[in-house]
Amino acid sequence: MTDIDPSQMAERRRGSGVKLVYDLLRDEILDLKLAPGSAIDEVQLASRFGMSRTPIREALVRLASDGLIETLPNRSTMVSNIDFLNMPAYFDALVLMYRVTTRLAAQHHKTEDLETIRQLQVAFSAAVESQDALAMIATNAAFHSAIAAAGRNSYYGAFFERLLNDGRRMLRLYYQSYEDRLPARFVEEHEEIIAAITARDVAAADRLGKVHGEQIVEQIGRLLTRHEDIDIDL
Amino acid sequence: MTDIDPSQMAERRRGSGVKLVYDLLRDEILDLKLAPGSAIDEVQLASRFGMSRTPIREALVRLASDGLIETLPNRSTMVSNIDFLNMPAYFDALVLMYRVTTRLAAQHHKTEDLETIRQLQVAFSAAVESQDALAMIATNAAFHSAIAAAGRNSYYGAFFERLLNDGRRMLRLYYQSYEDRLPARFVEEHEEIIAAITARDVAAADRLGKVHGEQIVEQIGRLLTRHEDIDIDL
DNA sequence: TGTATTTTTTTTGTCGACAAGAAATTCGAA
DNA sequence: TTCGAATTTCTTGTCGACAAAAAAAATACA
């Protein structure tokens, strides 16, 4: 890890330190630039960011309560491992949140929400076009985040956000399993979802959210030995 | 706020400071001993707990990422207000989580889970018997937490836990709306839930979880002007 | 008396230092 | 040499102090 640009660390607004460190480390962890299980050294980070250990530690505390790092008392801090054993549970929750957020968006969206959603769909489509797996992951998450926001339920929103973040790390590991035809299918499904939300068709939104979620689970989950029965008619 | 017992602050194991402060402040906030909106003074807390500001601050960072306190940059920290406008969304999420966790418990529980659940039901029943509203809230939450744990989905578990915590503050404000007959009904419903889980009757567990959740929503939510249509057949 | 500007006070964010714990290393005895 | 105890090294948790930022108070001026 190289030091940051000295011109950046020169003068910072007081109080911006922890956020800077938090945001950057968070991205590095989610993008797997920091490998799961790798150690985190406070003093090294302090010198890297040109600040004392105090703000670094506060950023680490936040990351820890996000579950992105793990702290052994009096001993090392490390990047959390991806819990593959819990992947069935993860997918179960993810599919349900796809359904619920899409459904609520159909109920509660405002017209300005649709513009945001459509813009993000364009970005996702472009990422698929250019076969940029990382951009696909990011724009897909942004697309569904926007749908969740349109659903106007901050509790689901926060939970879904967290699931999508956890997913970023797993998807980065498995994105090689994407073949060309499947992302194209995702684009189509996104379009259908947008149509259902626009039409305020709650039933269709629910169904499409479920199908879309299961699509992803099937794509990722075939690498697992077994996964939950997600065909519950909840 | 009075200082803590000096014998407690005498010698503490290194590293236990933040957890001590975090746990205590968390309970005080959730039990409304610290009123929503009230200011939090770092130096006062430091002298109260007999430690420096550094561990206090780390505890506050954790509370902030739990959403229990809010920090204005460079300025005051205060206990988060209860967001009554979002109560419909809250109840929507709560009911769904009641359903999902109960359903999953019916699917995945092990026999030792049932013992824990039954013990907590006994405690809840005792709290209802003695008309102790605070104990009712706590033991009810513990009961459903145990059910969620038996469902073996840590994602739902963490989310549900958070919802129950938020609920603790609202319930404390509204517990006067409980009349004698309703807690008794809750006890009965709990028994039915236990029976459904034991029998691994997923459909019944789902239905009972939904009914139970809506029961609570109706009890609390009648104080609201309007609330979500929770009768969705998801 | 009311308002704008300066000064004081209060509180936060950050720092460097130090001590406690745990791991790594060295040392000693069989 | 090998195992176990003592020692050193290294990292973390905590402290007291200081500086920046904002609010509160005081002052000046119309």
Side-chain angles (χ1 to χ4, degrees):
Chain A
M1 300 300 154
T2 164
D3 283 14
I4 62 169
D5 186 344
S7 65
Q8 288 186 331
M9 58 182 276
E11 47 207 81
R12 238 181 318 96
R13 255 202 308 291
R14 169 193 164 87
S16 68
V18 289
K19 182 171 165 46
L20 184 81
V21 176
Y22 172 79
D23 287 339
L24 193 53
L25 284 183
R26 185 168 169 281
D27 279 339
E28 290 190 349
I29 292 171
L30 292 177
D31 291 341
L32 290 175
K33 289 172 189 165
L34 291 176
S38 62
I40 291 183
D41 184 358
E42 294 177 5
V43 281
Q44 181 185 311
L45 287 174
S47 76
R48 176 181 167 199
F49 287 99
M51 58 179 75
S52 99
R53 277 175 50 228
T54 311
I56 303 284
R57 285 188 120 251
E58 295 197 357
L60 293 183
V61 170
R62 290 182 55 186
L63 289 169
S65 59
D66 288 349
L68 294 178
I69 66 175
E70 277 166 31
T71 312
L72 282 303
N74 278 321
R75 213 69 217 138
S76 62
T77 304
M78 60 175 228
V79 179
S80 296
N81 284 306
I82 302 174
D83 194 349
F84 293 106
L85 291 175
N86 276 335
M87 278 178 79
Y90 173 80
F91 289 131
D92 194 40
L94 187 69
V95 171
L96 183 62
M97 283 300 109
Y98 267 117
R99 292 179 62 183
V100 170
T101 54
T102 309
R103 162 191 274 274
L104 285 180
Q107 287 184 295
H108 300 304
H109 79 268
K110 298 175 182 174
T111 44
E112 55 261 39
D113 297 325
L114 291 172
E115 295 175 34
T116 311
I117 292 170
R118 287 208 182 89
Q119 283 177 355
L120 291 168
Q121 163 68 349
V122 169
F124 176 70
S125 183
V128 170
E129 197 83 26
S130 60
Q131 309 232 0
D132 183 347
L134 281 71
M136 278 174 43
I137 295 168
T139 52
N140 178 64
F143 174 77
H144 286 287
S145 280
I147 289 177
R152 300 283 185 285
N153 185 317
S154 59
Y155 297 93
Y156 289 145
F159 182 42
F160 191 41
E161 203 77 34
R162 175 146 190 175
L163 289 175
L164 288 173
N165 276 339
D166 278 20
R168 261 172 78 178
R169 298 210 298 176
M170 291 193 281
L171 287 172
R172 281 284 271 114
L173 284 178
Y174 283 124
Y175 75 97
Q176 63 267 25
S177 75
Y178 280 93
E179 282 125 44
D180 296 35
R181 58 185 174 78
L182 278 151
R185 170 139 191 202
F186 285 150
V187 175
E188 289 169 30
E189 289 183 359
H190 279 193
E191 294 292 351
E192 295 178 57
I193 287 173
I194 292 175
I197 292 173
T198 306
R200 298 200 181 278
D201 186 338
V202 175
D206 186 290
R207 180 173 43 76
L208 289 169
K210 182 182 179 189
V211 169
H212 190 60
E214 287 171 353
Q215 198 73 245
I216 294 173
V217 170
E218 198 178 332
Q219 182 61 16
I220 312 285
R222 72 179 58 183
L223 297 163
L224 298 171
T225 51
R226 75 176 194 91
H227 70 273
E228 293 289 301
D229 172 27
I230 50 161
D231 261 331
I232 53 175
D233 182 37
L234 196 67
Chain B
M1 301 300 156
T2 164
D3 283 13
I4 63 169
D5 187 344
S7 66
Q8 288 184 332
M9 57 181 277
E11 47 207 85
R12 240 179 316 100
R13 254 202 310 288
R14 169 191 166 88
S16 68
V18 290
K19 182 171 164 45
L20 185 80
V21 176
Y22 172 79
D23 287 339
L24 193 53
L25 284 183
R26 185 168 168 280
D27 279 340
E28 291 189 348
I29 293 172
L30 292 177
D31 291 342
L32 291 175
K33 288 171 188 164
L34 291 178
S38 63
I40 291 183
D41 184 359
E42 294 177 5
V43 280
Q44 180 185 313
L45 287 174
S47 75
R48 176 182 168 199
F49 287 99
M51 59 179 72
S52 98
R53 278 175 51 226
T54 311
I56 302 284
R57 286 188 120 253
E58 294 198 358
L60 293 183
V61 170
R62 290 183 55 185
L63 289 169
S65 59
D66 288 349
L68 293 179
I69 65 175
E70 277 166 31
T71 313
L72 282 303
N74 280 319
R75 213 67 217 140
S76 62
T77 304
M78 59 173 227
V79 179
S80 296
N81 285 103
I82 302 173
D83 195 348
F84 293 106
L85 291 176
N86 277 336
M87 280 179 78
Y90 173 79
F91 288 130
D92 194 38
L94 187 68
V95 171
L96 182 62
M97 282 302 108
Y98 267 117
R99 291 179 64 184
V100 170
T101 55
T102 309
R103 162 191 275 273
L104 285 180
Q107 287 184 295
H108 301 303
H109 79 267
K110 297 175 182 173
T111 44
E112 54 262 38
D113 298 324
L114 291 172
E115 295 175 34
T116 311
I117 293 170
R118 287 207 182 88
Q119 283 177 355
L120 291 168
Q121 162 69 350
V122 169
F124 176 70
S125 183
V128 170
E129 196 84 27
S130 60
Q131 309 232 0
D132 183 346
L134 280 71
M136 278 174 45
I137 295 167
T139 52
N140 179 65
F143 174 77
H144 287 286
S145 281
I147 290 177
R152 300 283 186 284
N153 185 315
S154 59
Y155 297 94
Y156 290 144
F159 181 43
F160 191 41
E161 203 78 35
R162 175 146 190 175
L163 289 176
L164 288 173
N165 277 339
D166 278 21
R168 259 172 80 180
R169 298 210 298 175
M170 291 193 280
L171 287 171
R172 280 286 271 114
L173 285 177
Y174 283 125
Y175 76 96
Q176 62 267 25
S177 76
Y178 281 92
E179 281 124 46
D180 298 33
R181 61 184 173 77
L182 277 151
R185 171 139 191 203
F186 284 150
V187 175
E188 290 170 28
E189 289 183 359
H190 279 193
E191 295 292 351
E192 295 178 58
I193 287 173
I194 292 175
I197 292 173
T198 306
R200 298 201 181 277
D201 186 338
V202 175
D206 186 289
R207 181 173 42 77
L208 289 169
K210 183 182 179 188
V211 170
H212 191 59
E214 289 171 352
Q215 198 72 247
I216 294 171
V217 171
E218 197 178 333
Q219 183 61 14
I220 312 286
R222 71 177 60 183
L223 298 163
L224 297 172
T225 50
R226 75 176 195 90
H227 70 272
E228 292 290 299
D229 172 27
I230 50 161
D231 260 332
I232 52 175
D233 181 38
L234 196 67

